[in-house]
Amino acid sequence: MSTPHPTAGQAAGCPVSGTPATTARLYGPGLDGDAMPALYEALRGAHGPVAPVSVAPGIDAWLVLGHRELLRLTREEQDFSHDPRRWSRLREGRVPADAPILPMVGWRPALLFADGQQHRRMRAAVSDALAGINGHELRRGVRSTAEDLIAGFAARGEADLVAGYARMLPMRVIAGLLGLDERTGRELVDAVGGLVSATSGAADASRRMGAILQGLIERKRRVRGDDIVSSLLHHPARLTDEEVLHNLVVMFVAGNQTTVNWIATALRVLLCDPALRSSLSGGHLSVDDALDLVLWRFPPTQNFPARYATRDMRFGGQDIRAGDMLILGLAAANADPEVLPADGAPVVGNRSHLAFGAGPHTCPAQDPARLITRTAVDTIRHRLPDLELAVPESELKWVNSPWSKGLGTLPVRFTSPLSPSGPAPSGAPGAPAPA
C-alpha cells in the first residue's frame, strides 16, 4: 500500500483490519488545513471511500471519505451507533485514560451520544430552545456586537480578524443566548478551549466548565429567563440538570468554534478571491451563496468523531467489525469526485454539502449559525469597504488540527470605516446579558 501523505505520519500495522499495512495518522504535526486535502485524496486513491487511520498512538479507526458512504453512516442508526460505550477498544479497557481522543468521545448524557428515542427526546428540547430564538433580535444583536468590535480596532487601520472579530463575536452572542454576562462567557470559552485541546490541563478545564454551567443551571432553576438554558430546563421533555449541562456543553463547543471558523474563512475567501468578491458586490452572488461555497470547500469541522459499528459488515469496500470506530470525514466527502462536477468545483446554490452532517443528528443550530455568520460578514464588508489583506495570502496559516478547519490569524488593513447605520439596539442577544 502506498504512503498516504509524507507529512501525516504513519503507524506500523493496521489494527482495525488486523492486516499489516501503513495507516495514516490523524494526530501530531503536519495536519493543518493545507496538508489535509492531499491526505484525503491519497487515502481515497489507496483505499476507496473508507480508509484505515489512527486517531491517537495505537488507537485505530476508519475515516469515511465517500459522500454516499457518509450519508449512510449518518442515516442508519441501526448499523452505526452514536454511543461510545459500544466502542470495542473502550469496552476492553484498551484506551489510555490520557488518550487525546477521549475528551471528544467519552460518553455523556447528551444528544450527541444517544440513539433512537433517547436522542429524539433530547433533540426535541434542544431544537425547540433554538427555534425560540427571535431571528430579528439575534440579527440586531449580532450587528451591534460586530459594530462594537469594529469600533474597537477601527482607529488603528489594521486588525487581526480572527482574534479581534471572528473569535470574539460568536462568544458574545452565544453567551447572551445562554443568559451569561460577558465575563462569565469568556471564562466558559477559555474552559471549553482547554477541554478540547486534550492537554494536561484538560481535567481542570472540564471542572471549570462544569462549575460555570452548573451555577448557571441552578440560577435558571430558581429564576426562569428568556434564554436557551431556561428553555431546556422547562421543556416538556423533562431533561435532568445533568442532561441540560451536557447538552449545553455540546451546543457551546460545536456552536462557538464552528461559527468562528466559518466567519474567518468566509472573510479570507472574500479577501483572496477577486472574482467571488466582484460577483458578490455586483449582485450576481448572494452572501448565502458565498457562505455555501465556503462550506463546500472549507467546512469549519473537517472530521468529526464518531460512530460505532453495531455489527460486522462490508462497508465502503472494507470489512468493518462490530465495535469499530468510524470518523465522519466531512471535508473529504464534500470533495468526493462522485458528487462534484467534472471541474471539481461546487455548484452555486447547491446545499448538499455535509458540513453540518446529515440524518437524525444533522446540526440543529445551523440556522442561527448561518444568521450569525451572514450578519458578521455583511457588517464588516459594509463598515470597512476597502478591507484588504496585510500579508501575502501564502502567509495565512490554518490551525494544526485534524478536526477543526480554522485560521490562526487573518491580518488586514483598511482606511477609516463608514459610520454605523444607526444606534446599536439595547437588550439584544449579542450584548452582555445578566446571568
Side-chain angles (χ1 to χ4, degrees):
M1 183 172 59
S2 60
T3 301
H5 193 273
T7 63
Q10 279 78 41
C14 181
V16 175
S17 61
T19 59
T22 305
T23 304
R25 293 191 315 216
L26 289 188
Y27 64 93
L31 295 178
D32 64 20
D34 289 323
M36 295 300 282
L39 171 61
Y40 301 144
E41 295 317 306
L43 287 171
R44 200 191 313 272
H47 303 284
V50 177
V53 295
S54 58
V55 294
I59 299 180
D60 47 276
W62 298 102
L63 179 62
V64 180
L65 307 155
H67 192 278
R68 180 177 58 185
E69 287 74 18
L70 202 143
L71 285 176
R72 180 184 168 193
L73 181 74
T74 55
R75 290 172 175 173
E76 298 183 5
E77 287 186 314
Q78 72 277 13
D79 288 338
F80 305 104
S81 172
H82 293 74
D83 192 335
R85 293 171 297 186
R86 289 180 175 267
W87 186 18
S88 56
R89 181 176 287 272
L90 189 63
R91 289 201 315 267
E92 295 161 5
R94 295 188 291 130
V95 181
D98 60 351
I101 188 69
L102 205 51
M104 301 180 70
V105 300
W107 182 84
R108 303 175 188 86
L111 77 169
L112 188 60
F113 306 98
D115 299 315
Q117 180 56 38
Q118 186 72 340
H119 168 254
R120 289 191 290 273
R121 181 179 71 89
M122 288 189 281
R123 186 178 176 97
V126 170
S127 296
D128 288 349
L130 293 169
I133 298 172
N134 184 303
H136 295 295
E137 290 184 7
L138 178 59
R139 185 179 297 107
R140 287 196 296 270
V142 176
R143 185 178 296 115
S144 173
T145 302
E147 290 176 347
D148 248 2
L149 292 170
I150 294 167
F153 55 70
R156 298 197 302 270
E158 60 181 17
D160 174 6
L161 293 187
V162 173
Y165 192 70
R167 195 174 290 157
M168 299 294 294
L169 194 151
M171 175 198 71
R172 293 189 183 181
V173 172
I174 295 173
L177 292 173
L178 293 179
L180 286 170
D181 60 81
E182 185 176 346
R183 179 185 60 80
T184 310
R186 190 184 300 274
E187 291 174 357
L188 183 59
V189 169
D190 291 342
V192 170
L195 175 67
V196 300
S197 67
T199 64
S200 58
D204 178 63
S206 179
R207 285 190 292 270
R208 287 188 287 119
M209 176 186 65
I212 292 169
L213 291 176
Q214 191 59 52
L216 178 62
I217 288 168
E218 290 170 1
R219 291 195 295 275
K220 296 303 179 181
R221 278 285 186 202
R222 293 194 301 269
V223 182
R224 182 172 182 172
D226 184 19
D227 53 68
I228 287 175
V229 180
S230 296
S231 179
L232 291 175
L233 287 169
H234 299 281
H235 192 273
R238 302 177 66 85
L239 270 59
T240 66
D241 284 7
E242 185 181 23
E243 287 174 333
V244 170
L245 188 152
H246 288 287
N247 279 293
L248 286 174
V249 171
V250 169
M251 293 168 69
F252 197 84
V253 171
N256 183 71
Q257 192 57 51
T258 299
T259 310
V260 169
N261 292 350
W262 197 5
I263 292 170
T265 306
L267 292 173
R268 171 183 175 158
V269 169
L270 290 174
L271 288 166
C272 298
D273 188 334
L276 182 64
R277 188 167 62 248
S278 175
S279 294
L280 193 61
S281 300
H284 303 295
L285 279 182
S286 68
V287 173
D288 276 315
D289 290 333
L291 295 183
D292 281 315
L293 288 172
V294 170
L295 292 177
W296 271 106
R297 296 171 179 169
F298 312 104
T301 300
Q302 54 181 333
N303 297 303
F304 194 81
R307 302 291 191 272
Y308 308 91
T310 61
R311 61 179 179 85
D312 294 349
M313 69 184 81
R314 186 75 175 168
F315 176 57
Q318 305 287 359
D319 291 318
I320 309 296
R321 295 175 181 172
D324 280 357
M325 172 189 281
L326 299 102
I327 305 296
L328 284 68
L330 304 176
N334 277 358
D336 188 345
E338 294 292 325
V339 299
L340 292 178
D343 62 1
V347 176
V348 173
N350 183 347
R351 290 191 177 178
S352 62
H353 58 74
L354 297 172
F356 294 113
H361 282 254
T362 302
C363 175
Q366 57 182 289
D367 288 340
R370 179 179 289 272
L371 190 154
I372 292 169
T373 302
R374 182 199 307 125
T375 307
V377 171
D378 252 347
T379 302
I380 200 165
R381 283 179 61 240
H382 288 100
R383 292 275 278 117
L384 304 175
D386 63 345
L387 199 66
E388 62 179 23
L389 278 179
V391 299
E393 182 183 356
S394 60
E395 293 185 15
L396 297 176
K397 303 299 182 186
W398 300 101
V399 173
N400 189 83
S401 171
W403 313 110
S404 179
K405 182 95 170 187
L407 282 172
T409 60
L410 186 61
V412 296
R413 55 178 173 247
F414 48 86
T415 55
S416 299
L418 299 176
S419 299
S421 56
S426 60

